[in-house]
Amino acid sequence: QVYKGLDIITNKVSPQEQRLCRHHMISFVDPLVSNYTVVDFRDKAVPLISFYIFARDKIPIVVGGTNYYIESLLWKVLINTKEKPSTAPRPASDRKVELEQLDSAELHRRLSEVDPEMAAKLHPHDKRKVARSLQVFEETGVPHSEILHQQQQEEGGGPLGGPLKYPHSCILWLHADQAALDARLEQRVDDMVAAGLLEELRDFHRRYNQEKVAENRQDYQHGIFQSIGFKEFHEYLISEGNCSPETSALLLEKGIQALKQVTKRYARRQNKWVRNRFLKRPGPNVPPVYSLEVSDLQRWEEDVLKPALEIVESFIQGREPPAEPLRMEHDEKENKRSHRVCELCARLIIGDREWAAHTRSKSHLHHLKKRRKLEASGRAGGTARDSGDAETSDKDGSLPL
């Protein structure tokens, strides 16, 4: 939502709603800026919170969205490099983007040379994180792992980073039954189409992406072009006017269904992030998380608005809220950086929870079933050979080799 344009597909707050209270951090970055990062977001948002909102005796309400960005405001977890944040278009020679062009094995090898501890923690195929760690070292001269240790050792720090920035924060988690959420997300996509989504996509494609596609340099991994919804309509946008109406209609329907699927997957990842990074977060400074049930929109007043106001008013007045926060679920024995190699699937798995999930996955169970069949057939074949050998042995007294 920080980028200008694609207001419908990024589900931006309407101008009418924005007039009800002051909104920040919306539609101020040029769409052609491809290297705007969470660090840039934090460096603009924190002064707004501290010197504008708090200074006027107001309370900031951070609405998400992308929980990684919310986390950057709550805890001291990010690292500044020598480059200064900017919203102006910068050269394409962004160091992290350059590093991501390298082969995964070469990237990981370079990181192993300068920061073996960080290389051991990161999956060799996770190019973005490996490239970021290399960038941190190149631009600060200090290994990424050493900077993280410094953050963790600060008062109030923990295994996932530095201390909590705002000690009196609370998190309101709007949570819905999965079936209700899926249906609502599908309806939202239909509403977006009715609100003019296709016209918005065509206009944005014509102004910012058509030339890139023609030169085969389109990039759906950085900036606004990685937004959910734009790349799903790539085939439709580049073929419109160059194919039959029937083919165009099929590609359009394909894009709409893809948008629905990826939106539902993203919602699941958001919920998983809340559980893993907030409810299971190790360390002393974790804001309380209050779950508000939004499955039935007819009960919005009773289930969401009223309890939310009571919780926030309690925090303002310095008393215990009437609602109980969700219980923190951190497992002290869990190792987020354990390394295991699944020889069946030829994969490196990092983290206890990831390993448990992998051993329950369809692909792993498929390979396991396949191996057991082979072993069973091998034993059956071995028994038959042994029987034959035994008969031979009875005749001449020799032992099988």
Side-chain angles (χ1 to χ4, degrees):
Q1 296 199 6
V2 300
Y3 295 96
K4 299 173 185 174
L6 292 182
D7 292 356
I8 296 174
I9 212 160
T10 56
N11 203 35
K12 286 178 183 167
V13 180
S14 68
Q16 293 80 6
E17 289 179 288
Q18 290 192 44
R19 284 195 287 269
L20 297 176
C21 67
R22 181 69 188 274
H23 286 66
H24 306 274
M25 308 295 291
I26 294 178
S27 298
F28 66 95
V29 179
D30 189 291
L32 295 180
V33 173
S34 63
N35 50 3
Y36 184 86
T37 69
V38 66
V39 176
D40 297 321
F41 173 85
R42 179 209 60 187
D43 289 347
K44 184 173 177 65
V46 168
L48 275 171
I49 291 171
S50 301
F51 305 123
Y52 182 75
I53 300 175
F54 280 150
R56 293 185 296 117
D57 202 26
K58 301 289 184 181
I59 297 174
I61 303 171
V62 181
V63 184
T66 308
N67 295 313
Y68 181 43
Y69 280 63
I70 296 175
E71 188 174 351
S72 76
L73 301 182
L74 285 172
W75 289 278
K76 185 178 179 181
V77 291
L78 299 179
I79 295 170
N80 290 321
T81 57
K82 66 183 181 181
E83 288 196 23
K84 299 296 182 183
S86 170
T87 60
R90 282 177 281 180
S93 60
D94 177 72
R95 185 54 183 154
K96 182 171 176 288
V97 175
E98 287 179 352
L99 289 168
E100 287 177 10
Q101 306 308 309
L102 297 174
D103 176 74
S104 296
E106 172 63 16
L107 262 182
H108 200 261
R109 185 192 65 78
R110 291 191 187 187
L111 184 61
S112 300
E113 292 177 352
V114 298
D115 193 349
E117 181 181 345
M118 205 65 199
K121 290 179 178 179
L122 297 178
H123 198 289
H125 293 162
D126 195 341
K127 292 182 75 170
R128 283 197 169 194
K129 289 185 179 179
V130 174
R132 173 58 179 162
S133 288
L134 269 175
Q135 180 194 22
V136 168
F137 175 76
E138 290 182 1
E139 296 183 357
T140 66
V142 181
H144 193 178
S145 58
E146 186 177 326
I147 298 175
L148 293 179
H149 284 311
Q150 292 170 1
Q151 286 184 347
Q152 294 162 5
Q153 290 166 4
E154 292 183 32
E155 184 178 354
L160 294 182
L164 195 64
K165 294 178 187 175
Y166 308 105
H168 303 294
S169 305
C170 75
I171 297 170
L172 303 178
W173 181 23
L174 275 62
H175 185 268
D177 173 77
Q178 193 62 58
L181 179 60
D182 286 347
R184 195 174 302 158
L185 292 173
E186 291 206 5
Q187 183 60 51
R188 190 176 84 178
V189 172
D190 292 336
D191 292 343
M192 289 160 63
V193 173
L197 173 64
L198 299 183
E199 290 75 13
E200 178 181 87
L201 288 171
R202 290 189 192 103
D203 178 63
F204 193 86
H205 177 70
R206 185 180 66 255
R207 288 192 292 150
Y208 298 109
N209 204 44
Q210 195 168 36
E211 185 179 337
K212 291 185 175 185
V213 170
E215 298 174 0
N216 197 28
R217 57 184 181 89
Q218 72 272 16
D219 178 12
Y220 294 120
Q221 302 299 319
H222 299 91
I224 195 171
F225 297 99
Q226 65 183 321
S227 299
I228 288 177
F230 187 68
K231 55 185 175 292
E232 281 70 29
F233 289 90
H234 173 78
E235 286 185 81
Y236 170 74
L237 292 170
I238 64 172
S239 63
E240 192 177 26
N242 300 316
C243 63
S244 68
E246 294 78 13
T247 301
S248 186
L250 287 173
L251 291 175
L252 173 58
E253 182 60 26
K254 180 182 176 182
I256 291 172
Q257 294 305 317
L259 177 55
K260 289 180 177 180
Q261 290 301 319
V262 74
T263 302
K264 289 186 285 188
R265 283 200 300 270
Y266 185 64
R268 284 171 169 79
R269 289 203 303 271
Q270 287 177 311
N271 285 332
K272 184 179 179 181
W273 185 284
V274 172
R275 294 188 185 97
N276 292 342
R277 304 292 287 192
F278 295 159
L279 293 179
K280 297 182 180 181
R281 192 181 189 90
N285 287 332
V286 183
V289 179
Y290 296 91
S291 179
L292 301 171
E293 179 61 43
V294 295
S295 297
D296 185 359
L297 293 182
Q298 300 299 318
R299 292 185 53 82
W300 176 267
E301 297 277 340
E302 305 96 311
D303 294 345
V304 183
L305 182 58
K306 184 179 177 182
L309 289 173
E310 289 175 347
I311 292 167
V312 173
E313 286 172 357
S314 299
F315 267 80
I316 293 172
Q317 296 166 7
R319 56 182 173 84
E320 285 294 318
E324 285 289 323
L326 293 173
R327 183 176 60 85
M328 295 297 170
E329 306 169 358
H330 174 57
D331 181 1
E332 294 291 342
K333 296 180 181 178
E334 181 187 351
N335 184 354
K336 293 180 179 291
R337 296 300 182 187
S338 63
H339 283 58
R340 294 182 180 89
V341 175
C342 179
E343 296 187 359
L344 270 178
C345 307
R347 287 186 59 191
L348 170 65
I349 310 296
I350 297 179
D352 290 350
R353 192 181 303 129
E354 287 72 13
W355 174 255
H358 173 71
T359 56
R360 295 191 300 267
S361 68
K362 288 183 179 179
S363 61
H364 178 80
L365 294 175
H366 170 75
H367 284 102
L368 187 61
K369 184 178 180 181
K370 189 175 179 181
R371 186 179 72 174
R372 284 173 177 168
K373 281 185 177 180
L374 288 172
E375 288 175 347
S377 63
R379 284 195 298 270
T383 303
R385 286 191 298 274
D386 289 346
S387 299
D389 289 335
E391 290 175 3
T392 306
S393 177
D394 288 341
K395 291 179 181 177
D396 60 11
S398 62
L399 295 173
L401 296 178

